[in-house]
């Protein structure tokens, strides 16, 4: 049992550190995932949405530090209770996601490793078993060093995590695991290979019978009572086909699609703000000067947002912006870049440079 405990200790500690560091590399992305969980259609904790980023940073730093605490043997009772409570929380979230199919990606490993809801839940069940073994055999968890060295190690881990989190929040993720990383050709990322499996759908009809809504597939239409009231029809995915790495990307304006034309431009700059109401005022103030400098060097500069025309007009007036804003889905824009606003430079559809608005003066034109 002592050997099993030490093996579990290493596995849990290392996994917590890796998982936490991946999310700490992109805390804004993890906060978007928390916002999904806090939404009205999931946990209905909308009052926590404004705090999502702070919670995300706090959770991932604590996750990394917990892994370090376990490995070095820091305050084992506190560490074990903390591990037990955290894995219990994560297991609840992943089960909820899997069973109710509410959040299709838990974000456990950020964009570095995508897991299905049931894979995430299975992973947490295994981790729970390992932590339970550690909890009931914690007498075998002894400090690796003296008390002072152990304390210094934990404090150093906490401080380094804080500095790393501060850096990525004010710049960009140190490692980009997303589909829009530098070097990616967007048209190629949207292409579907010839012969790729296609999604299969099943039509589901919703009828109200005696005041209760019931669902019927297209194969059960003969079972619908004559007095049933039709409510809606939806398409349910029976088998998921090939989904390209980049999807839902578009550049639209006034109902017209400019995607193909824009991606053919040899020198194109996208100034991305998924929501102009949430964009940094300091960042927006820097865009006009940058846009003029870029245009003078032959670049086509456009804004990208999911905000409505009224918001666009107000923000352009407030910050004296003369560039045109084009529409794109908010989720897609969040995936392209985390800063709001941010700068993305393309050469015929290939991403050649990305920058946080804090680093706008360092962009190479």
């Amino acid at each position: 049992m002592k050997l099993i405990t030490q093996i579990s200790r290493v596995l849990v500690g290392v996994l917590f550190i890796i998982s936490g560091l991946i999310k700490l590399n992109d805390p804004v992305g993890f906060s978007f995932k928390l916002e999904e969980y806090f939404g009205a259609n999931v946990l209905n904790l909308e009052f926590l949405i404004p705090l999502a980023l702070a919670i995300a940073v706090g959770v991932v730093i604590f996750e990394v530090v917990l892994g370090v605490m376990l490995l070095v043997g820091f305050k084992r009772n506190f560490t074990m209770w903390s591990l037990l409570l955290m894995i219990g929380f994560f297991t609840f979230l992943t089960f909820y996601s899997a069973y109710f199919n509410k959040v299709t990606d838990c974000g456990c490993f950020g964009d570095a490793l995508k897991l299905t809801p049931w894979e995430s839940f299975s992973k947490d069940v295994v981790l729970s078993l390992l932590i339970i073994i550690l909890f009931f055999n914690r007498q075998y968890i002894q400090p690796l060093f003296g008390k002072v060295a152990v304390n210094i190690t934990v404090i150093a881990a906490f401080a380094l995590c804080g500095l790393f989190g501060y850096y990525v929040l004010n710049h960009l993720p140190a490692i980009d695991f997303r589909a829009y990383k530098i070097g990616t050709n967007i048209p190629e990322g949207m292409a579907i290979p010839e012969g790729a499996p296609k999604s299969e759908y099943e039509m589901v009809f919703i009828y109200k019978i005696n005041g209760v809504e019931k669902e019927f597939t297209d194969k059960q239409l003969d079972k619908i009572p004559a007095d049933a009231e039709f409510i809606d029809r939806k398409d349910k995915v029976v088998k998921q086909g090939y989904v390209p790495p980049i999807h839902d990307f578009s550049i639209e304006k006034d109902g017209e699609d400019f995607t193909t034309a824009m991606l053919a431009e040899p020198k194109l700059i996208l100034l991305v703000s998924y929501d102009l109401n949430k964009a940094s005022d300091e960042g927006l103030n820097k865009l006009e000067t940058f846009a003029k400098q870029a245009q003078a060097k032959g670049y086509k500069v456009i804004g990208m947002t999911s905000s409505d025309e009224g918001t666009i007009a107000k923000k352009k007036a407030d910050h004296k912006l003369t560039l045109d804003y084009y529409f794109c889905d908010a989720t897609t824009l969040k995936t392209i870049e985390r800063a709001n606003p941010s700068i993305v430079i393309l050469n015929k559809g290939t991403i050649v440079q990305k920058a946080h608005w804090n680093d706008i003066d360092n962009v190479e034109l």
Side-chain angles (χ1 to χ4, degrees):
M1 185 53 70
K2 184 176 181 180
L3 177 61
I4 293 174
T5 301
Q6 297 307 322
I7 292 173
S8 301
R9 175 183 184 178
V10 172
L11 289 175
V12 172
V14 170
L15 192 59
F16 263 65
I17 291 172
I18 292 174
S19 174
L21 285 176
I22 289 173
K23 292 195 287 289
L24 186 57
N25 175 66
D26 183 15
V28 175
F30 185 50
S31 74
F32 291 154
K33 192 59 58 179
L34 290 181
E35 287 179 7
E36 284 188 58
Y37 279 112
F38 295 153
N41 295 327
V42 185
L43 297 178
N44 196 25
L45 299 172
E46 293 181 279
F47 69 94
L48 291 176
I49 290 179
L51 303 174
L53 182 57
I55 294 172
V57 173
V59 168
V60 296
I61 288 178
F62 191 48
E63 186 177 359
V64 175
V65 174
L66 263 182
V68 173
M69 289 163 60
L70 177 62
L71 291 179
V72 301
F74 176 86
K75 295 187 181 299
R76 63 187 180 195
N77 284 333
F78 172 79
T79 299
M80 291 316 309
W81 275 108
S82 298
L83 283 169
L84 202 61
L85 291 173
M86 180 167 277
I87 196 60
F89 172 70
F90 285 155
T91 303
F92 163 74
L93 284 184
T94 53
F95 172 76
Y96 189 93
S97 297
Y99 187 79
F100 293 102
N101 195 32
K102 290 290 188 179
V103 181
T104 56
D105 174 21
C106 71
C108 301
F109 294 98
D111 290 288
L113 177 62
K114 296 288 188 180
L115 299 177
T116 66
W118 284 115
E119 287 173 343
S120 298
F121 174 66
S122 300
K123 178 264 298 178
D124 284 341
V125 168
V126 172
L127 263 178
S128 297
L129 293 175
L130 293 175
I131 291 173
I132 288 172
I133 290 173
L134 291 170
F135 185 83
F136 287 105
N137 294 279
R138 55 187 181 276
Q139 69 272 17
Y140 297 125
I141 301 176
Q142 299 297 326
L144 290 185
F145 323 111
K147 184 177 181 180
V148 174
V150 167
N151 290 345
I152 290 175
T153 301
V154 173
I155 293 171
F158 180 79
L160 290 173
C161 284
L163 289 172
F164 183 55
Y166 179 81
Y167 173 83
V168 296
L169 283 173
N170 287 279
H171 299 281
L172 292 179
I175 302 175
D176 194 347
F177 294 107
R178 287 160 292 161
Y180 295 89
K181 59 182 176 290
I182 292 175
T184 297
N185 182 273
I186 294 177
E188 291 178 1
M190 293 192 292
I192 298 177
E194 187 176 347
K198 297 181 180 180
S199 297
E200 296 179 9
Y201 297 90
E202 179 181 66
M203 288 188 293
V204 177
F205 298 86
I206 303 173
Y207 281 83
K208 182 177 286 187
I209 303 172
N210 297 325
V212 179
E213 292 186 3
K214 294 186 177 181
E215 295 184 353
F216 299 87
T217 68
D218 52 350
K219 298 177 182 178
Q220 299 174 316
L221 298 181
D222 58 329
K223 297 181 180 179
I224 302 175
D227 59 347
E229 178 187 353
F230 175 77
I231 301 297
D232 196 7
R233 197 211 88 178
K234 61 183 179 180
D235 293 329
K236 180 180 180 182
V237 179
V238 177
K239 183 180 179 182
Q240 183 67 62
Y242 175 80
V243 178
I246 295 177
H247 49 277
D248 297 332
F249 178 87
S250 64
I251 302 176
E252 302 173 6
K253 186 173 177 60
D254 300 327
E256 188 174 349
D257 192 340
F258 293 88
T259 309
T260 302
M262 290 293 185
L263 293 181
E265 290 282 345
K267 300 174 78 173
L268 176 67
I269 293 180
L270 308 178
L271 301 179
V272 179
S273 292
Y274 74 92
D275 185 343
L276 283 168
N277 283 319
K278 296 181 179 179
S280 163
D281 288 329
E282 184 181 352
L284 291 175
N285 285 335
K286 294 183 176 184
L287 296 187
E288 184 65 17
T289 300
F290 172 78
K292 293 298 184 186
Q293 292 172 347
Q295 289 165 349
K297 294 189 177 184
Y299 284 88
K300 185 175 184 63
V301 184
I302 64 172
M304 294 279 285
T305 186
S306 65
S307 298
D308 58 39
E309 291 296 332
T311 300
I312 292 173
K314 182 179 185 304
K315 290 295 180 178
K316 288 179 67 173
D318 290 346
H319 300 280
K320 298 179 174 60
L321 299 172
T322 58
L323 58 98
D324 290 327
Y325 271 93
Y326 289 72
F327 177 82
C328 185
D329 177 71
T331 300
T332 299
L333 294 179
K334 288 178 181 180
T335 306
I336 293 173
E337 202 44 87
R338 303 309 196 194
N340 186 9
S342 58
I343 302 94
V344 181
I345 302 180
L346 297 95
N347 177 5
K348 294 184 178 180
T350 298
I351 299 173
V352 295
Q353 198 172 164
K354 300 169 78 175
H356 189 289
W357 64 263
N358 273 329
D359 301 314
I360 197 168
D361 295 330
N362 300 324
V363 174
E364 298 178 8
L365 297 174

